Amino acid sequence: MFTWAFPAQPARAQQSFSGSVNDASTGAPLPGATVHLSGPALSANTDSTGRFHFHDLQPGRHNLRITHVGYKHLSISFLLRPNDGPAKFELTPEAVHLTEVRIAAPFYKKGSQLLPTDVLNADELRQKNKSTIANALEDLPGIKAINTGVGIAKPVIRGMSHNRIIVNNQGIKQEGQQWGSDHGLEIDSFEPGRIEIVKGPASLRYGSDGLGGVINLYPPPIPQDSSFKATLNTLYNSNNHLFGVSAMVQGAQNGRFYRVRLSGQDFGDYAVPATEFTYNSYVLPIYNNRLKNTAGRERNFSVMTGIKKKWGSSDITVSNFHQKAALFVGAIGVPRSRQLTPDGNNRNIATPFQQTNHFKVASTTRLLHGRNWTEIDAAYQFNARQEHSDGHGRLAQGTLAHGLDLHTLSANIRYFQHKKNESRIWGLQLEGQQNSRRGFEYLLPAYRKFSSGFYALTEWSAGDAFLVSGGLRADYSFIHIDATSEPIYKDNQVVRYYERNPQIRKDFANLSGSLGFTFQPLEDFGLKANFGSSFRMPAANELAINGVHHGTFRHEMGNSALKTERGFQLDLSTDLRVERLKTTIALFGAYYKNYIYLAPTAVFSSSLDPDAFPEGGQVYQFQQNNAIYGGGELSLDYQPTRFLQFRSALEYVYNLNLDSRLPLPFTPPPSVFSEIFYTTAIGGDTFSHLKLGVNLRNVGTQNRTDRNERPTGGYHLLGASVGTIFKIGKLSGNLNATARNLTNQLYMNHLSRYRLLNLPEPAQNYSVSLSFNFATL
């Protein structure tokens, strides 16, 4: 709740914004509340009298979010005008809060306003106690992860992943070798200040790969002037004895600001509730319930500096992600007994292993023009991925099987316009890529790629209840793939060459659009609908890959005749709050023309060339067929008392290849995730709140599988959590402990790579995280 008297006439000069935050039940000021402005990405904490202050804001519409432990979050959109007096805000006491009511706000401030969107802040991410970003999102409806062991994971949105979803980090699309199931997100899991997950077609604003959804990772807000803050986060997992730590310092003075973060993780071989597994009908042992050679380590850093003045702001961030992760021996080649026998060290990394380094320089500039403004994002990324193995029986120099070096230059330009009842954005996206290869094996060729897109989005509101949004986009892209021939050896001599792929030159052009509306006649009830067309251009691996992909246990072959995928999607959702119950229903359906997927063939590698593929297998080739997708999510949030809260989320994905009449591969099974929390105020000077929780994940059997894809049985996972907030002088922090798979159940994850080796998921695991905050204003 808030009150504010607006003057009649707006102005365009820079101005300040101040206010106070009080307890709605008592009227007492609330010190320590966090006030976040999402437009300029600023944050402030209320002082001992509940007051806060922002300097040099542009007039116009802003989005404000206020949070405080023990109170319901407040999220509003307001129009800032000159000579406004201090705003007054009130927070309603509540030990735990229901999902906040999202008031209709400009499209460009809130992301894809008409598509289902989930948001996690930094505190919520830490409470998950997960070592990867993808796994931290798994409790949200419609979100899953493809796992390779415990240190490598990539997100899945409504059954789509790889090149069908986009991960934006600091406004720039993350570019690595995301086409591979064994390639995780090369992003520090401690780094994001907030994560926004858009479920549904987002190609219109974000580009070709946004067919299934977008994950936006936002850094912490720009620090306020004359401030200094330091944090220390730690994490421990009992299953693989993971130790993680991240230290961050940030501050601002005279319009200049900075942030520095250093992070690291070390983990050992992980435990499973099994003593054997089956590889090609052979039963092999798992000694001491641990998968040998699944350890790893991670070292990351980021440095940001910038300036904020009346004309706007500009910042630059230099970051580097480095991970070295061992791969279970059965994942690459045939496991031998010596590779399975314990060596007395559960933390060493032997072959096979993969090493990934992602270096990034990114800059964001914001130029103010009265109520309008321009944003410019620019970035350079260098993704270096190496896979090391013992050669798989090939003549090899060293252990480097695959070396993929990807250079990417990106630029985004957006111009925002705001009128009384209308908001508009004009955008231009440019991206250039160059990929090269090394190593004694062939999988992906060298290529060069350029993409460009221009779009226009508009949003019009009729009062506070009705909002209409629409847009158009035009894209052009080309890809040039080099021809590749690999030598065939006999008696250590090259006797001939085998062509893996011819030279490929492709151009693509597309038009797409969307139209939707939001109708919220009551504060506790709202409807959303969105219809749009989307597209996706074939990726380099889909056009030209040709080799045994040990990461997926098959021979993969590209198809140079592939065309652009075209999708037509309809999304519907509704929110209803009745007293202490909140319900969200989201339904989606889509028709895809020329859907690209890997299909098994009757051909084996040896029939292609026995000398080129001595360890080959069945050939899977990329093909195109028409397909349909559908499904939905149902979320319930019920709070019977101030101290007790129950949440449950059901999700289901259905798809069908319209030509083969079979399901598409790697479809997540239906599942329900439920949790109940009890939160109480302790009332002590050191520990203020205690939160206890129990959760249950019910996953159904997945029998709807593609040809030659194995079904997966259902399972139930029981978990628990406990957390508290503490304060000692100027030092404050959080202590969280979680337990997963409490019953030590043996189960298979349908999206896990290791499922193909009949390897179960990790055994019982206990996690503890401790966070410290040091702040000086």
Side-chain angles (χ1 to χ4, degrees):
M1 177 185 305
F2 76 99
T3 58
W4 203 355
F6 293 103
Q9 298 297 324
R12 298 178 179 270
Q14 299 295 295
Q15 61 189 87
S16 298
F17 169 51
S18 62
S20 61
V21 181
N22 300 315
D23 186 311
S25 61
T26 65
L30 281 179
T34 300
V35 184
H36 176 67
L37 287 175
S38 61
L42 296 173
S43 69
N45 292 325
T46 56
D47 59 21
S48 59
T49 63
R51 294 187 175 90
F52 65 90
H53 192 85
F54 291 98
H55 301 280
D56 299 330
L57 297 179
Q58 68 174 123
R61 189 161 295 276
H62 294 264
N63 289 323
L64 185 82
R65 188 169 187 260
I66 304 176
T67 60
H68 193 287
V69 175
Y71 293 83
K72 291 175 59 176
H73 294 182
L74 176 64
S75 182
I76 68 166
S77 172
F78 69 92
L79 187 64
L80 179 62
R81 301 181 181 184
N83 303 319
D84 285 335
K88 295 181 180 180
F89 301 91
E90 294 182 341
L91 298 185
T92 303
E94 193 169 50
V96 288
H97 65 277
L98 298 174
T99 303
E100 66 198 63
V101 176
R102 295 189 182 181
I103 300 175
F107 179 93
Y108 49 79
K109 297 274 191 151
K110 297 281 284 187
S112 296
Q113 178 74 17
L114 301 179
L115 293 173
T117 303
D118 289 310
V119 177
L120 287 179
N121 59 36
D123 290 336
E124 292 168 326
L125 286 170
R126 282 196 297 268
Q127 292 172 13
K128 301 293 182 182
N129 282 0
K130 300 293 182 67
S131 60
T132 69
I133 292 176
N135 291 130
L137 305 178
E138 285 186 292
D139 295 342
L140 299 175
I143 312 298
K144 289 290 175 285
I146 297 175
N147 298 302
T148 301
V150 296
I152 303 170
K154 63 191 313 149
V156 179
I157 301 178
R158 290 178 169 176
M160 292 192 175
S161 59
H162 302 81
N163 289 96
R164 287 191 175 90
I165 68 171
I166 291 176
V167 177
N168 282 321
N169 188 18
Q170 300 180 10
I172 294 293
K173 178 185 174 186
Q174 181 80 1
E175 287 287 6
Q177 306 292 346
Q178 60 259 35
W179 53 269
S181 297
D182 50 340
H183 308 163
L185 288 181
E186 299 93 356
I187 300 174
D188 183 359
S189 60
F190 293 101
E191 181 70 23
R194 184 168 62 95
I195 298 182
E196 177 188 76
I197 304 97
V198 180
K199 294 178 286 188
S203 296
L204 194 65
R205 177 172 180 180
Y206 298 104
S208 168
D209 288 356
L211 196 73
V214 172
I215 298 176
N216 290 314
L217 307 178
Y218 298 100
I222 295 174
Q224 280 283 82
D225 237 11
S226 301
S227 67
F228 174 81
K229 181 180 180 180
T231 64
L232 179 66
N233 301 320
T234 62
L235 175 65
Y236 171 75
N237 285 342
S238 66
N239 182 285
N240 61 343
H241 303 295
L242 177 145
F243 294 93
V245 63
S246 179
M248 184 273 289
V249 294
Q250 68 174 30
Q253 190 70 41
N254 298 326
R256 300 182 182 274
F257 52 87
Y258 66 91
R259 181 183 299 116
V260 179
R261 181 181 293 276
L262 299 174
S263 302
Q265 294 188 47
D266 286 86
F267 53 92
D269 300 336
Y270 71 91
V272 295
T275 57
E276 61 185 27
F277 72 104
T278 305
Y279 185 93
N280 286 343
S281 73
Y282 292 97
V283 178
L284 300 173
I286 300 176
Y287 294 97
N288 303 322
N289 298 104
R290 290 198 176 273
L291 291 184
K292 185 181 177 182
N293 204 48
T294 55
R297 60 176 176 263
E298 206 175 281
R299 300 290 184 268
N300 312 311
F301 78 83
S302 66
V303 178
M304 181 272 286
T305 185
I307 185 172
K308 182 180 182 297
K309 297 294 183 180
K310 292 184 178 182
W311 50 263
S313 64
S314 182
D315 63 75
I316 185 170
T317 301
V318 179
S319 63
N320 193 80
F321 173 96
H322 180 84
Q323 184 189 66
K324 184 176 181 180
L327 300 173
F328 182 66
V329 293
I332 298 180
V334 179
R336 297 171 175 85
S337 59
R338 64 175 177 82
Q339 296 173 307
L340 298 173
T341 305
D343 57 8
N345 188 349
N346 289 330
R347 305 187 79 85
N348 63 337
I349 301 174
T351 55
F353 68 87
Q354 69 177 27
Q355 182 169 286
T356 305
N357 197 88
H358 192 93
F359 176 77
K360 183 176 182 179
V361 180
S363 174
T364 298
T365 299
R366 196 167 190 265
L367 304 174
L368 308 179
H369 322 293
R371 287 189 180 181
N372 307 326
W373 66 91
T374 302
E375 289 182 357
I376 303 172
D377 299 324
Y380 164 72
Q381 301 175 73
F382 174 48
N383 184 275
R385 184 182 184 276
Q386 299 179 8
E387 181 185 296
H388 292 259
S389 67
D390 293 327
H392 312 309
R394 298 284 302 275
L395 177 68
Q397 299 294 327
T399 62
L400 181 61
H402 295 292
L404 300 174
D405 297 332
L406 179 64
H407 299 264
T408 304
L409 284 172
S410 307
N412 302 323
I413 303 173
R414 298 177 292 272
Y415 179 67
F416 303 94
Q417 291 179 297
H418 175 70
K419 299 180 181 180
K420 182 178 181 181
N421 296 317
E422 185 179 2
S423 301
R424 190 171 297 168
I425 175 174
W426 306 85
L428 175 66
Q429 293 179 315
L430 302 171
E431 183 181 89
Q433 288 186 319
Q434 179 172 310
N435 188 74
S436 59
R437 56 171 293 268
R438 296 173 287 131
F440 58 79
E441 288 194 343
Y442 171 87
L443 195 61
L444 192 68
Y447 66 86
R448 293 161 301 284
K449 180 182 177 182
F450 172 79
S451 301
S452 61
F454 176 79
Y455 60 91
L457 306 173
T458 187
E459 187 177 82
W460 176 81
S461 60
D464 295 330
F466 190 73
L467 180 147
V468 178
S469 179
L472 293 172
R473 181 184 176 103
D475 279 85
Y476 171 75
S477 176
F478 69 78
I479 185 169
H480 293 173
I481 301 176
D482 296 341
T484 308
S485 294
E486 290 288 285
I488 303 298
Y489 292 89
K490 186 175 182 180
D491 298 327
N492 294 333
Q493 299 292 326
V494 177
V495 295
R496 62 185 177 88
Y497 287 86
Y498 175 77
E499 184 182 71
R500 291 298 185 103
N501 68 276
Q503 184 183 71
I504 300 174
R505 292 178 177 266
K506 289 280 188 177
D507 296 81
F508 303 95
N510 288 276
L511 289 174
S512 59
S514 71
L515 179 65
F517 71 88
T518 296
F519 180 58
Q520 190 168 352
L522 302 173
E523 182 180 352
D524 295 333
F525 175 72
L527 294 170
K528 292 181 182 180
N530 186 69
F531 175 78
S533 66
S534 59
F535 65 95
R536 188 178 74 87
M537 293 169 279
N541 68 303
E542 295 167 334
L543 292 168
I545 196 172
N546 185 8
V548 179
H549 190 183
H550 296 283
T552 53
F553 316 105
R554 62 188 172 223
H555 184 126
E556 297 182 4
M557 181 176 289
N559 184 347
S560 61
L562 294 177
K563 302 176 182 179
T564 299
E565 284 184 355
R566 170 66 70 177
F568 301 92
Q569 295 104 337
L570 176 64
D571 285 82
L572 302 171
S573 64
T574 179
D575 294 297
L576 175 64
R577 184 194 295 263
V578 181
E579 295 182 350
R580 295 181 176 271
L581 174 67
K582 183 178 185 297
T583 304
T584 300
I585 302 174
L587 303 174
F588 63 93
Y591 167 76
Y592 294 101
K593 184 178 181 181
N594 296 322
Y595 188 88
I596 300 172
Y597 69 103
L598 263 178
T601 70
V603 178
F604 285 79
S605 300
S606 56
S607 62
L608 297 176
D609 193 309
D611 297 322
F613 307 106
E615 283 192 358
Q618 185 179 9
V619 175
Y620 283 66
Q621 186 170 29
F622 283 100
Q623 297 182 5
Q624 287 187 301
N625 291 111
N626 299 332
I628 57 173
Y629 254 88
E633 298 99 31
L634 169 63
S635 300
L636 299 175
D637 199 330
Y638 178 59
Q639 187 167 347
T641 71
R642 178 180 175 182
F643 305 101
L644 197 63
Q645 184 177 20
F646 171 78
R647 296 174 181 170
S648 186
L650 179 150
E651 58 187 40
Y652 177 74
V653 175
Y654 174 89
N655 55 45
L656 184 69
N657 183 324
L658 294 179
D659 294 279
S660 68
R661 312 306 296 181
L662 292 172
L664 295 169
F666 311 115
T667 301
S671 66
V672 179
F673 180 76
S674 303
E675 54 186 345
I676 186 168
F677 291 108
Y678 177 80
T679 306
T680 183
I682 301 176
D685 295 332
T686 302
F687 297 97
S688 58
H689 284 77
L690 178 65
K691 185 176 183 179
L692 303 172
V694 178
N695 61 76
L696 178 65
R697 184 183 299 276
N698 299 279
V699 179
T701 301
Q702 183 56 287
N703 289 320
R704 298 194 70 258
T705 56
D706 195 8
R707 186 179 292 112
N708 295 322
E709 183 185 16
R710 300 175 187 172
T712 306
Y715 55 90
H716 311 282
L717 291 181
L718 181 65
S721 64
V722 59
T724 186
I725 301 170
F726 64 86
K727 185 175 183 180
I728 306 174
K730 291 187 177 181
L731 174 67
S732 62
N734 301 77
L735 175 63
N736 295 288
T738 59
R740 179 177 171 85
N741 194 8
L742 276 172
T743 59
N744 206 33
Q745 182 177 2
L746 189 153
Y747 69 100
M748 301 284 182
N749 182 348
H750 191 73
L751 298 183
S752 172
R753 281 184 57 220
Y754 288 172
R755 178 180 70 92
L756 301 177
L757 299 175
N758 295 302
L759 288 173
E761 291 302 291
Q764 188 179 76
N765 181 53
Y766 298 94
S767 301
V768 179
S769 65
L770 184 60
S771 302
F772 300 94
N773 299 311
F774 311 84
T776 302
L777 298 179

